[in-house]
């Protein structure tokens, strides 16, 4: 399963990913992404894989990674 | 053997010296790696640093990682209300070092480390020298000082400190065991050293855990017991409660509040309904005249001050949780204060490089359940513990 991993030590909370991947992420009150399903490493549904890859590539802090587990 | 003091295996008196150790326990039997992993599995030995994870699974994962393994004995004991690891390192350092030697064999490690508070290092250096003179360890052990901070004993912080980068937790996209790094609590290692001598069956029937019992007890102390020991017996072994108790914190600052029920067995299963677990064996008795909300607010304030300044949700969320608890404790009611505490606890959970936010959230949620009546009273400007107005 492809999952979205967030490196919290790198993320600066400007919220670009929550715009690029709004189907999966929302912003918390400080600007940091929260997964809509409440999990730590949310599963990326196949139709969203391209959008997820784009968010990973565009994250200015390289804080997003796709992992398989 | 269900009495608390029946099985003093780790805490029997000892001067910490090698002669004392060898006359008491003898030399380690010669075992190969797979035998060691098998013993840890058959003995069902679980981690004593807080997580309670089966040791053999970590051993097997590190052995299979395909990189030269590094093994680390974690004696940081960053938890302010825990004292068992310091006591063990003082009284039985050679059991810990035996255990470290065994996990090095089990994982094929090329490097072994002992990470402990700076004050203990001079004595530990002597212990290592004595072993060297006796020809005990082929693999040298490196000592590293653990800074006195709550998160310095978190496993990725430990690995980072050993690598000379500072005791700060790291991201876990790649799990530590997959990098060939094994971090085990010093007590877990000491148990393994006994299992290697006396067998898995012995541990299943007689194995123990260490508990640090403090708060409203006559003799705050480290107590050795078996899982399943009634909470009242643990408190009794520390001299007994000095007055009626309001609640007991089990599992430390990342643990949970449970009722002061002397019959409550200290096991994972029996504590789970309260959101608590035996964890690293920390037990704090809260006296009846103290307010659980005030106490929880203090602990949460401390935990918020220990965030390692790295992860947004933790850095922002923990102080907010602490502020919410402080308002609740001091009777500064805002609408929805308890709901706000619960919401923030859920918001920070799982959103950090380490589980510091998760542990803090667990404590706060358990307090909201255990002290539900106090919450209601505080919102009405009264405190049940003091009987007065806030
Ligand atoms: C914030 C935090 C602090 C921790 N501090 C310690 C500690 O001081 N000592 C310790 O042994 N484990 C500590 N742990 C647990 C370690 O991460 C790790 O699980 C443990 O050392 C593994 O050993 P064990 O499996 O033998 O318990 C801490 C965990 C967290 C999240
Ligand atoms: S785009 Fe990257 S840095 Fe920005 S909020 Fe998302 S994960 Fe964090
Ligand atoms: S979760 Fe908190 S304590 Fe843990 S590394 Fe991140 S900021 Fe530090």
């Amino acid at each position: 399963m492809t999952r979205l991993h967030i490196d919290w030590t790198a993320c600066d909370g400007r919220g670009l990913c929550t715009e690029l991947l709004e189907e999966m992420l929302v912003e918390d009150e400080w600007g940091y992404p929260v997964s809509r399903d409440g999990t730590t490493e949310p599963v990326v549904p196949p139709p969203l894989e391209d959008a997820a890859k784009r968010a990973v590539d565009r994250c200015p802090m390289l804080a997003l990674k796709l992992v398989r587990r | 053997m269900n009495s608390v003091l029946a099985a003093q295996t780790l805490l029997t008196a000892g001067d910490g010296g090698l002669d004392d150790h060898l006359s008491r326990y003898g030399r380690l039997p010669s075992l190969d790696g797979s035998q060691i992993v098998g013993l840890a599995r058959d003995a069902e030995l679980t981690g004593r640093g807080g997580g309670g994870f089966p040791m053999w699974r970590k051993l097997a994962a590190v052995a299979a990682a395909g990189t030269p393994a590094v093994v680390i004995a974690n004696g940081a004991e960053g938890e302010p209300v825990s004292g068992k690891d310091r006591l063990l390192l003082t009284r039985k350092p050679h059991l810990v070092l035996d255990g470290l030697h065994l996990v090095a064999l089990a994982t094929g490690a090329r490097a072994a480390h002992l990470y402990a508070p700076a004050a203990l290092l001079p004595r530990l250096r002597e212990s290592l020298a004595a072993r060297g003179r006796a020809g005990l360890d082929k693999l040298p052990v490196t000592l590293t000082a653990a800074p006195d901070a709550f998160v310095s004993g978190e496993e990725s912080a430990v690995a980072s400190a050993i690598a000379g980068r500072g005791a700060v937790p790291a991201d876990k996209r790649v799990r530590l065991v997959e990098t060939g790094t094994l971090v085990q609590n010093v007590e877990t290692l000491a148990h393994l050293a006994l299992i290697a001598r006396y067998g898995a069956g012995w541990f299943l029937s007689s194995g123990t855990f260490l508990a640090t019992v403090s708060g409203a007890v006559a003799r705050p102390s480290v107590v050795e017991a078996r899982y399943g020991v009634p909470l009242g017996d643990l408190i009794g072994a520390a001299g007994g409660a000095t007055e009626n108790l309001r609640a007991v914190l089990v599992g430390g600052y990342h643990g949970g509040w449970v009722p002061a029920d002397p019959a409550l067995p200290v096991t994972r299963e029996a504590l789970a309904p309260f959101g608590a677990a035996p964890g690293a064996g920390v037990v704090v008795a809260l006296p009846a005249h103290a307010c659980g909300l005030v106490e929880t607010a203090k602990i949460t304030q401390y935990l918020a001050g220990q965030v390692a300044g790295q992860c947004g949700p933790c850095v922002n969320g923990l102080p907010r949780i602490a502020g919410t608890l402080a308002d609740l404790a001091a009777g500064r009611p805002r609408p929805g204060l308890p709901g706000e505490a619960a919401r923030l606890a859920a918001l920070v959970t799982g959103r950090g490089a380490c589980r510091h936010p998760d542990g803090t959230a667990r404590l706060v949620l358990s307090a909201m359940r255990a002290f539900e009546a106090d919450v209601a009273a505080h919102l009405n400007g009264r405190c049940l513990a003091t009987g007065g107005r806030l």
Side-chain angles (χ1 to χ4, degrees):
Chain A
M1 216 125 44
T2 305
R3 294 172 180 275
L4 186 67
H5 175 88
I6 303 171
D7 176 353
W8 294 106
T9 67
C11 170
D12 70 355
R14 302 277 178 79
L16 184 61
C17 56
T18 54
E19 282 170 34
L20 293 172
L21 203 50
E22 60 179 3
E23 298 88 342
M24 285 182 64
L25 302 173
V26 287
E27 253 180 62
D28 68 11
E29 54 231 76
W30 309 290
Y32 295 92
V34 190
S35 71
R36 286 187 187 271
D37 68 5
T39 61
T40 299
E41 277 183 352
V43 172
V44 181
L48 290 180
E49 280 201 12
D50 284 344
K53 277 192 195 115
R54 215 170 308 128
V56 167
D57 290 342
R58 300 243 187 112
C59 168
M61 307 308 290
L62 307 178
L64 295 175
K65 295 279 182 317
L66 294 177
V67 294
R68 298 197 60 86
R69 34 191 170 230
Chain B
M1 274 239 267
N2 61 359
S3 151
V4 183
L5 301 167
Q8 290 251 333
T9 50
L10 286 182
L11 282 190
T12 43
D15 65 9
L18 185 58
D19 292 343
D20 178 73
H21 169 75
L22 291 175
S23 64
R24 198 179 293 276
Y25 303 106
R27 291 200 171 219
L28 275 176
S30 109
L31 295 163
D32 67 26
S34 65
Q35 285 174 316
I36 295 165
V37 178
L39 278 170
R41 183 192 57 221
D42 297 345
E44 297 172 16
L45 177 58
T46 52
R48 302 300 207 250
F53 194 78
M55 181 195 232
W56 78 272
R57 288 186 188 280
K58 279 165 59 173
L59 290 175
V62 170
T67 49
V70 175
V71 293
I72 308 170
N74 185 2
E77 202 168 38
E79 169 86 62
V81 279
S82 183
K84 54 113 180 161
D85 290 341
R86 277 179 196 75
L87 182 66
L88 186 63
L89 283 170
T90 305
R91 210 179 268 186
K92 298 292 168 69
H94 291 290
L95 281 180
V96 175
L97 292 167
D98 281 351
L100 185 59
H101 181 70
L102 289 166
V103 295
L105 278 175
T107 57
R110 305 251 188 88
H113 297 265
L114 172 53
Y115 179 69
L120 298 182
L121 295 190
R123 288 264 334 252
L124 291 170
R125 200 164 287 124
E126 285 173 31
S127 307
L128 289 171
R131 292 172 81 89
R133 286 193 298 275
L136 284 188
D137 297 333
K138 274 164 237 96
L139 189 65
V141 176
T142 309
L143 294 175
T144 301
D148 183 18
F150 193 86
V151 301
S152 70
E154 192 275 338
E155 60 177 14
S156 62
V158 174
S160 170
I162 295 299
R165 289 191 303 267
V168 175
D171 181 56
K172 299 191 178 59
R173 180 171 62 89
V174 181
R175 296 186 179 120
L176 205 54
V177 289
E178 297 172 58
T179 67
T181 303
L182 181 81
V183 177
Q184 297 284 172
N185 174 260
V186 289
E187 184 196 336
T188 319
L189 293 170
H191 287 300
L192 184 66
L194 294 176
I195 292 166
R197 290 175 168 92
Y198 309 137
W202 166 83
F203 190 74
L204 286 171
S205 65
S206 309
T208 61
F209 76 100
L210 298 180
T212 311
V213 186
S214 66
V217 295
R219 275 195 320 276
S221 47
V222 177
V223 171
E224 185 164 9
R226 285 180 51 68
Y227 286 129
V229 61
L231 192 53
D233 286 12
L234 271 188
I235 289 172
T242 49
E243 55 188 292
N244 284 339
L245 299 182
R246 175 163 297 272
V248 179
L249 179 64
V250 179
Y253 287 1
H254 279 177
W257 291 101
V258 306
D261 170 8
L264 184 67
V266 178
T267 59
R268 215 168 234 277
E269 297 73 29
L271 296 172
F274 305 102
V282 168
V283 173
V284 185
L286 183 72
H289 73 258
C291 174
L293 294 175
V294 170
E295 197 56 32
T296 306
K298 269 193 235 158
I299 299 173
T300 313
Q301 185 69 49
Y302 165 81
L303 293 172
Q306 294 290 318
V307 305
Q310 305 198 91
C311 315
C314 179
V315 170
N316 291 284
L318 265 51
R320 277 278 295 281
I321 294 178
T324 307
L325 259 291
D327 285 348
L328 206 48
R332 287 188 292 266
R334 277 188 271 117
L337 221 40
E340 177 69 352
R343 182 188 74 84
L344 289 166
L347 183 61
V348 300
T349 298
R351 295 177 67 229
C354 79
R355 296 193 169 276
H356 186 53
D358 307 50
T360 306
R362 184 178 320 125
L363 173 79
V364 167
L365 291 173
S366 87
M368 303 312 275
R369 281 191 303 267
F371 306 121
E372 203 181 358
D374 303 78
V375 170
H378 276 227
L379 291 177
N380 286 313
R382 304 200 69 85
C383 180
L384 299 177
T386 62
R389 296 204 62 81
L390 282 164

